Amino acid sequence: MAYPRIARMQNVEEFRAYCEELGLPLQAEDRIETAPDSPLAQPLTAGGKTLGNRFVIHPMEGWDGDDDGKPNELVRRRWRNFAHSGAKCVWGGEAMAITPDSRANPRQLMIRPETEDSLKALHAELLDIHHSYFGSNADLLTGFQLTHSGRFSRPSQSGLEPRILYRHPFLDRKFGIPDDYPVLSDDEVRGIIDLFVRAGGIAERCGADFVDVKHCHGYLGHEFLSAVTREGPFGGSFENRTRFLREVVSGIRATTSRIQIGVRLSAFDFAPYRPDPARSSGSRLGPGIPEDFSGALPYRHAFGGNAQNPVEFDLSDTFRFIELLRELDIRLLNVSAGSPYYNPHIQRPALFPPSDGYQPPEDPLVGCARQIEATAQIKAAFPDMIVIGTGYSYLQEFLPHVAQWVVRSGKADAVGLGRMVLAYPTLPKDTLTRGSLNSKRICRTFSDCTTGPRNGLVSGCYPLDPAYRNLPEAALVRKIKASL
Ligand SMILES: Cc1cc2nc3c(=O)[nH]c(=O)nc-3n(C[C@H](O)[C@H](O)[C@H](O)COP(=O)(O)O)c2cc1C
Ligand code: SF4
C-alpha cells in the first residue's frame, strides 16, 4: 500500500488533517518557534546540569570503527556533527561493546582498557567542537552507551554468533539458532556484569557525564526483561529479570565517584514481523505481518507488549521497571521501542524498508504516534523522571511542530533525533535560530543507513550526506536497493 508522502504535504494544516484522518492523537503547532520562546529552547535540569535546550542526539552507530574497536575518522566526523548540531544532550554517542565477542558488527566501537585513550580523545574532541561553536560546555550533557549485543552479536563477517539468555520460539528459528545451542550460564552473566562495571569506570575517566546501561532493541540488557522462561537468578520473576540492572548499577556506583547512570529502554515490544510471503516476489519485500503467535498465547517474550495480543503495548511491566529505576535513583530515561532486527516499523518508522525488513504494515506516522503516546503515558506516571522521546525522524518537515507540542504539553522532557541527525545534523540549530528547515537535508527514511550495515558496509546517509554519497559503497547500496 502506498502512503502519502510527508514531503508532498504543502503545510502544517494538511499534515494535521491527515493525522486526523488516520485517527492519530498527534498534534502539530502552527509554526516553528525560535529561541528564546520555543518550548524546545527551554533549559532542562538533568544529570546534574542545566541543559541548554530540549534536543537530544540519540546513539547512532556507524559500523565504521577500526577492527580494534577504536574510533577512526568516520566516527570522529559523526561525533563532530553531534557536537555542533545545537542539541544539548549527546545520549550515548553510539553503542560501545564491552568485549570483542559482544559486538553487533566487527566494526563496532569497544569500551575496554585497550580503547580507553581513543575514546577519551573522541569525547574531548566532541567537547572542543561544542565549545568552539557555542562558547561553553556547561549546558551540554554527554553519555556513553554500554552494550552487549546478546542474541545479535556478530563480531566477525562470518555471521551471527548469538549469546542468548533463553530459547525464543520465534527468534531462534528466524535467526537460525539450532536446538542444541547453549544459553549463557549464570557465571557467564556474572562475568558480563563485571565488564559493564569496568566500562562504567572507563566512561568516567573519559569524561562522560553518564553511562547508558542499554536495555533496548533486542540486545542483551533488553533480553533480560523478557527472560521469563529462564531458570535461576537471572530469569523468571521480575526481581530476577532485573538483577542484571541492579548489579551493574551497584557495581558502577561502588567503583566510580561521579558518573551518573541512565537507561535507554525498549518500553514496549511486539512479536516479530516478517514480509508477507503472499505479497513478496523474488527479492521484492512484501508488507510486514506478525509471526503467527496464536499458538503461543499468552505471549511472554515481548516486554511491555500485550500478552494476549502482542501487537499492542501494555505498559504495566514497563511501569514496574521505571519504578525500580527511581528506587535506584536513576532519573535519565530514553524511551525507545521494539527491535530493528524483528519489528523495525515500531522502532524506526520508515517509508522504505531496509534490505532485511519489510514494506510498512501501517502508515509510518502510526509508529511515530505510538512511541509518542507510550512516552507520554510514562511521563504522566513518572513526572520526576527525565523522559526523552524517540521515533521523530519520520515526521520530517513537521518534526519541530510536533516536538514543540510534545514538550509544551509535558508529554516528554526532550526530543531525541536518530536518523535525522545523520541526514541533517544541524536541524536543532536551524529550528531554534532560523525557525525554518533546509528541506534538501531532511531524512526521508530511505533506510540506506540500515541497508548499508546489513550488507557489511559502513552506515551513513548515502542519499543526502555528500561525504557518503561519494563513497564507493554508495553504488553498492543503490544496487542492493534496486533489487528490492
Ligand atoms: C544507522 C543507525 C544506527 C543506530 N545506532 C544506535 C545505537 O548505537 N544505539 C541505539 O540505542 N540506537 C541506535 N539506533 C536507533 C536510533 O537511535 C533511533 O532510536 C531510531 O533511529 C529511531 O529514531 P529516529 O526516528 O529519529 O531515527 C540506530 C539507528 C540507525 C538507523
Ligand atoms: S539513509 Fe539518510 S535519508 Fe535514509 S533513513 Fe538514513 S538518514 Fe534518513
Side-chain angles (χ1 to χ4, degrees):
M1 164 150 190
Y3 299 105
R5 301 233 177 157
I6 304 275
R8 299 211 181 118
M9 294 182 185
Q10 298 297 318
N11 49 43
V12 71
E13 287 78 20
E14 201 177 317
F15 174 78
R16 276 200 294 250
Y18 182 58
C19 291
E20 225 173 287
E21 192 184 317
L22 290 176
L24 297 179
L26 266 192
Q27 290 183 33
E29 297 195 347
D30 285 340
R31 61 181 189 88
I32 302 180
E33 288 192 30
T34 52
D37 297 329
S38 168
L40 301 173
Q42 302 314 307
L44 174 68
T45 303
K49 281 187 162 174
T50 302
L51 315 194
N53 63 44
R54 304 303 183 99
F55 278 112
V56 171
I57 303 296
H58 283 315
M60 291 299 289
E61 61 183 310
W63 292 266
D64 53 3
D66 283 340
D67 291 344
D68 56 5
K70 294 180 183 166
N72 57 18
E73 180 47 25
L74 278 175
V75 178
R76 285 193 289 272
R77 176 180 183 272
R78 188 167 50 257
W79 283 55
R80 287 198 291 271
N81 282 343
F82 298 164
H84 71 83
S85 64
K88 294 298 179 181
C89 173
V90 178
W91 180 292
E94 60 192 276
M96 301 179 190
I98 52 150
T99 52
D101 67 328
S102 66
R103 286 172 294 172
N105 67 83
R107 298 185 67 180
Q108 187 165 45
L109 293 193
M110 286 190 270
I111 179 159
R112 56 192 201 130
E114 294 82 345
T115 60
E116 180 168 332
D117 288 346
S118 64
L119 294 178
K120 194 177 197 166
L122 179 68
H123 186 260
E125 189 178 3
L126 175 89
L127 294 188
D128 282 351
I129 298 287
H130 181 272
H131 195 280
S132 70
Y133 274 84
F134 304 104
S136 164
N137 289 332
D139 62 351
L140 175 74
L141 189 73
T142 62
F144 280 7
Q145 184 179 59
L146 311 184
T147 192
H148 184 300
S149 305
R151 185 174 284 281
F152 299 104
S153 298
R154 192 171 167 271
S156 76
Q157 291 295 6
S158 53
L160 281 175
E161 293 176 32
R163 314 287 281 150
I164 57 175
L165 293 171
Y166 65 89
R167 307 311 312 243
H168 192 295
F170 295 113
L171 295 182
D172 285 2
R173 204 176 338 126
K174 185 175 174 72
F175 295 101
I177 300 179
D179 288 345
D180 56 354
Y181 201 79
V183 296
L184 280 167
S185 70
D186 295 337
D187 278 347
E188 285 173 305
V189 169
R190 288 191 190 94
I192 290 169
I193 290 171
D194 289 345
L195 292 167
F196 268 81
V197 172
R198 178 180 80 170
I202 295 174
E204 178 169 90
R205 290 194 292 279
C206 288
D209 295 311
F210 71 96
V211 280
D212 165 15
V213 183
K214 186 173 187 174
H215 276 71
C216 58
H217 304 165
Y219 297 114
L220 193 78
H222 186 206
E223 181 149 310
F224 276 108
L225 301 181
S226 62
V228 286
T229 54
R230 182 184 170 95
E231 291 177 355
F234 296 101
S237 66
F238 179 79
E239 196 196 348
N240 284 351
R241 285 180 283 129
T242 54
R243 190 178 306 282
F244 166 76
L245 171 74
R246 285 183 282 113
E247 295 199 356
V248 168
V249 169
S250 74
I252 292 179
R253 295 245 168 91
T255 53
T256 57
S257 58
R258 56 149 197 90
I259 199 147
Q260 310 263 329
I261 296 177
V263 169
R264 189 160 208 222
L265 174 69
S266 279
F268 60 88
D269 200 1
F270 284 1
Y273 274 61
R274 64 194 164 105
D276 183 352
R279 288 185 282 169
S280 306
S281 65
S283 58
R284 200 185 144 68
L285 301 167
I289 52 166
E291 296 287 353
D292 179 8
F293 51 73
S294 55
L297 296 177
Y299 189 83
R300 301 162 79 200
H301 311 290
F303 178 78
N306 178 342
Q308 295 306 330
N309 184 24
V311 291
E312 287 175 358
F313 65 74
D314 169 355
L315 299 181
S316 357
D317 260 8
T318 311
F319 281 12
R320 217 170 150 197
F321 181 78
I322 299 170
E323 192 55 57
L324 172 65
L325 294 182
R326 291 181 70 252
E327 283 163 23
L328 294 172
D329 205 18
I330 293 173
R331 289 289 183 278
L332 296 170
L333 176 65
N334 185 324
V335 177
S336 185
S339 166
Y341 297 98
Y342 56 83
N343 48 27
H345 72 288
I346 67 168
Q347 198 257 344
R348 49 182 78 157
L351 198 57
F352 305 94
S355 59
D356 65 339
Y358 41 78
Q359 299 291 341
E362 61 190 10
D363 189 300
L365 276 178
V366 177
C368 301
R370 188 186 290 114
Q371 288 205 49
I372 288 174
E373 175 55 25
T375 307
Q377 289 186 18
I378 289 169
K379 181 64 195 174
F382 300 94
D384 60 344
M385 295 293 289
I386 301 295
V387 177
I388 293 153
T390 297
Y392 284 76
S393 289
Y394 184 73
L395 297 168
Q396 302 167 58
E397 271 77 0
F398 306 106
L399 190 159
H401 303 254
V402 175
Q404 283 175 201
W405 163 69
V406 165
V407 171
R408 196 191 298 277
S409 56
K411 293 181 186 311
D413 295 294
V415 165
L417 302 179
R419 291 161 296 179
M420 189 63 84
V421 84
L422 299 183
Y424 184 6
T426 56
L427 179 136
K429 201 164 28 189
D430 290 356
T431 300
L432 295 177
T433 58
R434 293 197 339 225
S436 64
L437 303 184
N438 175 355
S439 61
K440 292 201 171 70
R441 291 306 297 265
I442 292 177
C443 166
R444 300 296 177 195
T445 67
F446 295 126
S447 291
D448 293 18
C449 51
T450 306
T451 293
R454 291 291 186 269
N455 292 277
L457 309 172
V458 297
S459 175
C461 184
Y462 290 99
L464 301 180
D465 181 343
Y468 286 85
R469 199 187 299 137
N470 301 327
L471 289 180
E473 285 90 337
L476 278 169
V477 171
R478 277 197 299 276
K479 204 166 149 199
I480 296 162
K481 275 177 55 180
S483 73
L484 302 178

